[in-house]
Amino acid sequence: GGGPERHDGGRVKTYIVVMIAALSAAIGESLLSFGMRRYGSMNLAEPSHWLVLVSSVVRNPYVFMGVVFLSIFFFLYLAALSWADLSFVLPLTAVSYLFAALLAKFFLKEEVSWHRWAGTIVIVIGIALVALGGKSRSIDRPLPGPPPCGFTGDHGRADGS
């Protein structure tokens, strides 16, 4: 059905999934940073450095795990977009900036300046405005046109049963 309880439950589901996705993104970014520090500064004008970047995904366990966590983010983000508006979901993912700043400070031991903390707080205020403002889905129907590859939204059953 499409009653209010469905929308409230959908909104809570969206918050939970997007928070897990955002945490996954921040962990992934932190692991990438930690792993890439082993290589020093990359000169992208140097072709051999591109090989180092590509090979780091499989040769460096921190970079590999970073890619895994960013993949988790990506697929959770896709799921959230399937039930909530882009204009609701995307700003919520920005909570990853807060998670990343905390991980940078405590895991990567970075010096996070007060300017960066202030910017992060501004982002969090923006997230709160989005989270508190209205429904997570403004249109409660699929976009017009057939879904790609025969996907029907009902787990592949063309008859809807």
Side-chain angles (χ1 to χ4, degrees):
E5 68 282 345
R6 180 176 167 266
H7 291 292
D8 290 339
R11 190 178 184 124
V12 169
K13 175 175 68 170
T14 302
Y15 288 142
I16 292 169
V17 167
V18 170
M19 290 306 118
I20 294 169
L23 184 59
S24 296
I27 291 169
E29 296 287 356
S30 298
L31 287 166
L32 291 180
S33 178
F34 187 81
M36 291 310 295
R37 286 182 183 178
R38 298 173 130 185
Y39 298 107
S41 181
M42 291 283 161
N43 177 1
L44 297 181
E46 195 65 44
S48 65
H49 285 210
W50 283 95
L51 283 173
V52 171
L53 284 173
V54 172
S55 70
S56 70
V57 174
V58 291
R59 295 180 52 186
N60 184 320
Y62 298 105
V63 173
F64 179 79
M65 288 308 298
V67 170
V68 168
F69 274 94
L70 288 170
S71 297
I72 292 168
F73 160 79
F74 178 72
F75 290 110
L76 291 174
Y77 181 63
L78 287 179
L81 288 174
S82 76
W83 64 68
D85 290 344
L86 172 66
S87 60
F88 183 77
V89 173
L90 182 61
L92 292 182
T93 65
V95 77
S96 69
Y97 291 103
L98 174 61
F99 296 149
L102 292 167
L103 288 168
K105 172 87 174 144
F106 297 109
F107 171 65
L108 298 174
K109 306 296 184 207
E110 291 181 6
E111 276 299 319
V112 181
S113 71
W114 74 267
H115 290 98
R116 292 180 186 177
W117 285 119
T120 301
I121 290 167
V122 168
I123 291 168
V124 170
I125 291 168
I127 295 166
L129 289 173
V130 170
L132 297 173
K135 300 185 302 185
S136 61
R137 176 70 98 190
S138 60
I139 301 172
D140 200 20
R141 64 185 185 287
L143 291 174
C149 303
F151 178 75
T152 61
D154 56 7
H155 307 290
R157 294 185 304 267
D159 63 355
S161 61

